[in-house]
Amino acid sequence: MKFYVTTPIYYVNDIPHIGHAYTTVIADVLTRYHRMFGEESYFLTGVDEHGQKVQKAAEARGKDPQTHCDEMVLNFQNVWKELTIAPDVFMRTTFPYHKKVVQDCLQQLFDCGDIYIKEYEGWYSVSEEIFYTEKDLVNGKSPAGKEVTLVKEKNYFFKMSKYQDRLLKYIHDNPEFIAPENKKNETLGFLSKPLEDLCISRPKSRLSWGIELPFDKEYVTYVWFDALLNYTSAIGLKQQGRELEFQNKWAAAVHLIGKDILITHTVYWPTMLMALNLPLPRKIFAHGWWLTANNSKMSKSEGQVVKPLDMKDIVGVDGLRYFLTRDIHFGNDAQFSQDLVINRVNVELANNLGNLLSRTTQLLHKYFDGKIPERSSNLESSKEISKLALQTSTRVREDIYNYSPNMAVGHVVELLTKTNQCLDQEAPWKKAKENLAEAGETLLTVMEVLRISAILLHPVMPSKMNELLERIGFREKVTFEEAQKWFGLTTGSTVIKADPLFPRIQTENK
Ligand code: MSP
């Protein structure tokens, strides 16, 4: 296995919003790219069903937690399907086999003395499902500004502090482990202070919705301890007959997360894995947030969220996937608004890509009977464009390997812009009268660019790019090799003239 990518598993306290869609779309896009490069890949997403937050949401709806989860999970599955997101496995933490893995791990740590019981007092944030000490609080709230309540009770603890030095050494020895660099530094900053042990239980008297501790029936386990293990239970950890599968996939693990859940992934999770004698994942990549117009995080608790399907209805599935991949530099924050989405789709898909296709198709129908012209590369402009197109393929692959899908798409946009300029300069509609061969060469050059661009953008917009390839008469399998060669279209094959591939979206104020 070359690439095993995971998204966070989302709390089923509410319906998915654009923030959830973002990580999931990027994971899907990256998986499709890796597959196109010929690499065996596997993609996991799912839902986090236990804990106080979900229990409260179920109570608020007057449902028992399991019924609540069974209903809510469908919202996630349906939205992902609508957005052509195709995970290989959709995890639910209420799956019996997952529960068993969690209990086996708890037992292992209890047996080796890495879990112990003590009286505890701390401040709990339900919205983050995290305990804080008095000194962590900022103006009586969690560092992220969430409400906290004082909890005093006997609980089980995981000896996280025992692994602090080993984790620090690991991060220093493996500079690629946490990305981007600023998130690695944030983790190192967190680790520069003595690490507390991690409270991994909740008495059933306070929280019943969770996985029972195998060594104490009065307690359930902490939701993060349960949730993080999904990345391994999903691929066979501690399951008879799945040992090789686990080894194979786990060695290729890449966790995509939002920066809001950095420390749980870069500190809690690696120390848990160390205690379990398991290797650490290959990479943890923390991306930024989509922000509202007043620059706060788009989230349910902030009150301003966009439902992915509402946006899809305006710009189409592929338009939305395109925007999410293109508009944020992976790792940074960016603003999200309906106008920004529409503008991006209009400028780059309707105008740049869409116009190139419709102009060329019309000219081919006018002067070449709607057929792909003879192959030739005599014009300087064609030679330059073909060189740029092949360089673009290489750059796209490099950018994907560097976790920069927005840059990958940006290179294709540049290629399309240059090709539009070339078409304007060569003006085949004028040349057709005196030098039909040269006009044909330019039109073929544009068609080849469209073919290569459609392959390179296929992981981002699978359905639209299939349609584009069909219109230009490309019948081969969509592989990266096809994007690495010039002349993949068959001379004489028919080009389809049809409605705009990306119709311009009208806004109320325009
Ligand atoms: N259940 C935990 C994760 C456990 S993983 C073992 C959780 N769930 S969540 O439902 O709150 O989802 C958080 C994730 O949603 C973020 O890490 C991020 O991937 C995504 N996003 C939520 N809001 C976001 C934005 N406004 N912008 C970008 N991504 C955001 O935390």
Side-chain angles (χ1 to χ4, degrees):
M1 174 80 42
K2 276 283 174 72
F3 188 65
Y4 165 42
V5 69
T6 68
T7 73
I9 48 170
Y10 306 107
Y11 290 125
V12 285
N13 61 324
D14 199 23
I15 55 171
H17 67 66
I18 209 79
H20 305 131
Y22 176 55
T23 323
T24 324
V25 163
I26 296 294
D28 185 72
V29 166
L30 292 179
T31 307
R32 288 174 189 264
Y33 271 115
H34 282 270
R35 290 213 170 110
M36 192 167 89
F37 303 151
E39 297 165 8
E40 202 193 335
S41 306
Y42 198 73
F43 163 25
L44 170 147
T45 190
V47 285
D48 191 352
E49 301 178 277
H50 294 123
Q52 213 162 323
K53 194 162 159 149
V54 172
Q55 182 171 291
K56 276 184 145 187
E59 273 163 19
R61 292 179 66 227
K63 308 256 174 175
D64 74 276
Q66 189 64 59
T67 312
H68 165 82
C69 290
D70 291 346
E71 288 172 7
M72 297 302 279
V73 78
L74 297 174
N75 293 324
F76 284 85
Q77 287 170 329
N78 291 341
V79 172
W80 299 161
K81 207 166 157 196
E82 292 254 12
L83 298 181
T84 45
I85 291 169
D88 296 292
V89 52
F90 185 95
M91 264 312 275
R92 294 188 60 176
T93 52
T94 49
F95 282 156
Y97 82 89
H98 169 76
K99 290 190 194 172
K100 166 127 192 352
V101 172
V102 173
Q103 287 183 326
D104 287 354
C105 289
L106 285 163
Q107 191 67 51
Q108 183 184 334
L109 297 190
F110 186 71
D111 290 345
C112 74
D114 271 354
I115 288 180
Y116 63 95
I117 191 161
K118 74 167 181 189
E119 188 73 46
Y120 180 71
E121 190 176 306
W123 296 87
Y124 196 65
S125 152
V126 176
S127 123
E128 295 162 283
E129 298 273 20
I130 300 238
F131 260 120
Y132 292 101
T133 59
E134 185 82 41
K135 63 179 184 334
D136 294 328
L137 301 187
V138 182
N139 300 327
K141 293 195 170 171
S142 85
K146 307 287 178 193
E147 295 298 333
V148 287
T149 44
L150 186 64
V151 174
K152 197 175 168 191
E153 60 199 14
K154 244 185 169 177
N155 262 316
Y156 287 89
F157 283 77
F158 160 54
K159 281 188 187 164
M160 191 156 76
S161 56
K162 181 174 153 188
Y163 298 94
Q164 175 160 12
D165 291 343
R166 222 174 112 187
L167 177 56
L168 268 167
K169 184 171 181 321
Y170 188 90
I171 296 173
H172 284 299
D173 291 349
N174 297 274
E176 309 275 288
F177 177 50
I178 302 169
E181 191 73 12
N182 62 346
K183 293 295 174 280
K184 177 173 90 181
N185 293 337
E186 200 177 316
T187 308
L188 289 172
F190 187 86
L191 288 170
S192 65
K193 290 166 264 156
L195 207 53
E196 310 260 343
D197 286 344
L198 183 68
C199 177
I200 52 97
S201 69
R202 302 290 181 264
K204 278 191 184 166
S205 52
R206 186 161 63 80
L207 172 73
S208 54
W209 183 234
I211 299 176
E212 194 175 85
L213 295 190
F215 43 84
D216 192 335
K217 307 268 170 271
E218 297 307 312
Y219 288 83
V220 294
T221 195
Y222 171 41
V223 64
W224 272 101
F225 190 94
D226 156 3
L228 287 161
L229 279 166
N230 98 90
Y231 299 137
T232 50
S233 65
I235 55 166
L237 177 69
K238 292 190 186 292
Q239 290 154 62
Q240 243 190 351
R242 295 186 75 187
E243 294 81 2
L244 269 180
E245 178 197 348
F246 175 71
Q247 258 180 31
N248 183 21
K249 292 193 172 114
W250 187 239
V254 173
H255 298 317
L256 302 186
I257 56 165
K259 62 180 183 175
D260 45 331
I261 50 175
L262 182 73
I263 299 303
T264 45
H265 280 82
T266 58
V267 178
Y268 294 12
W269 182 223
T271 53
M272 280 168 64
L273 288 164
M274 284 174 172
L276 288 163
N277 294 318
L278 291 170
L280 303 197
R282 197 199 309 155
K283 193 172 208 77
I284 300 168
F285 195 110
H287 64 68
W289 286 338
W290 289 105
L291 306 172
T292 60
N294 52 18
N295 279 336
S296 59
K297 181 190 173 208
M298 197 166 260
S299 76
K300 178 74 198 330
S301 40
E302 306 297 330
Q304 277 199 36
V305 288
V306 178
K307 288 187 226 134
L309 292 186
D310 292 351
M311 256 347 282
K312 180 215 90 170
D313 291 342
I314 301 170
V315 295
V317 173
D318 283 348
L320 179 59
R321 289 174 61 104
Y322 183 83
F323 176 83
L324 293 176
T325 312
R326 168 79 170 131
D327 250 58
I328 259 190
H329 179 78
F330 201 50
N332 295 357
D333 293 343
Q335 269 198 4
F336 188 98
S337 77
Q338 186 170 311
D339 282 351
L340 285 170
V341 183
I342 293 177
N343 191 48
R344 179 66 82 182
V345 169
N346 277 345
V347 171
E348 290 182 357
L349 298 180
N351 294 356
N352 202 3
L353 173 58
N355 280 348
L356 194 60
L357 172 69
S358 51
R359 286 163 85 195
T360 321
T361 315
Q362 275 161 24
L363 290 167
L364 284 173
H365 274 267
K366 188 156 177 196
Y367 299 109
F368 293 86
D369 205 16
K371 304 259 191 280
I372 295 288
E374 293 285 333
R375 292 177 182 185
S376 72
S377 262
N378 300 321
L379 292 168
E380 228 19 72
S381 59
S382 300
K383 284 183 199 152
E384 261 172 46
I385 291 288
S386 65
K387 207 168 125 205
L388 181 65
L390 299 180
Q391 274 170 0
T392 304
S393 301
T394 312
R395 285 181 186 146
V396 165
R397 185 159 60 179
E398 279 167 13
D399 287 332
I400 295 301
Y401 285 155
N402 287 331
Y403 299 88
S404 301
N406 66 308
M407 306 266 282
V409 172
H411 282 125
V412 182
V413 174
E414 242 170 76
L415 170 67
L416 291 166
T417 308
K418 291 256 164 64
T419 310
N420 259 312
Q421 286 162 0
C422 164
L423 186 62
D424 290 341
Q425 276 154 16
E426 291 298 329
W429 51 92
K430 284 191 202 146
K431 263 193 195 165
K433 286 148 208 152
E434 72 260 18
N435 190 340
L436 193 64
E438 273 193 8
E441 180 177 320
T442 300
L443 294 174
L444 177 64
T445 300
V446 176
M447 282 286 135
E448 278 297 319
V449 165
L450 286 168
R451 183 186 66 86
I452 290 176
S453 302
I455 295 172
L456 295 177
L457 292 176
H458 194 272
V460 183
M461 301 184 284
S463 15
K464 285 286 181 184
M465 293 306 102
N466 278 341
E467 203 180 323
L468 171 46
L469 289 168
E470 204 183 307
R471 285 191 191 190
I472 63 175
F474 182 73
R475 306 258 179 275
E476 305 302 315
K477 212 168 156 236
V478 178
T479 62
F480 188 65
E481 288 73 54
E482 283 292 340
Q484 283 174 308
K485 71 177 194 218
W486 191 246
F487 291 144
L489 294 170
T490 315
T491 304
S493 66
T494 306
V495 172
I496 300 167
K497 201 160 81 173
D499 289 342
L501 186 61
F502 294 99
R504 218 187 137 72
I505 298 150
Q506 302 299 333
T507 50
E508 283 149 24
N509 25 4
K510 271 161 219 159

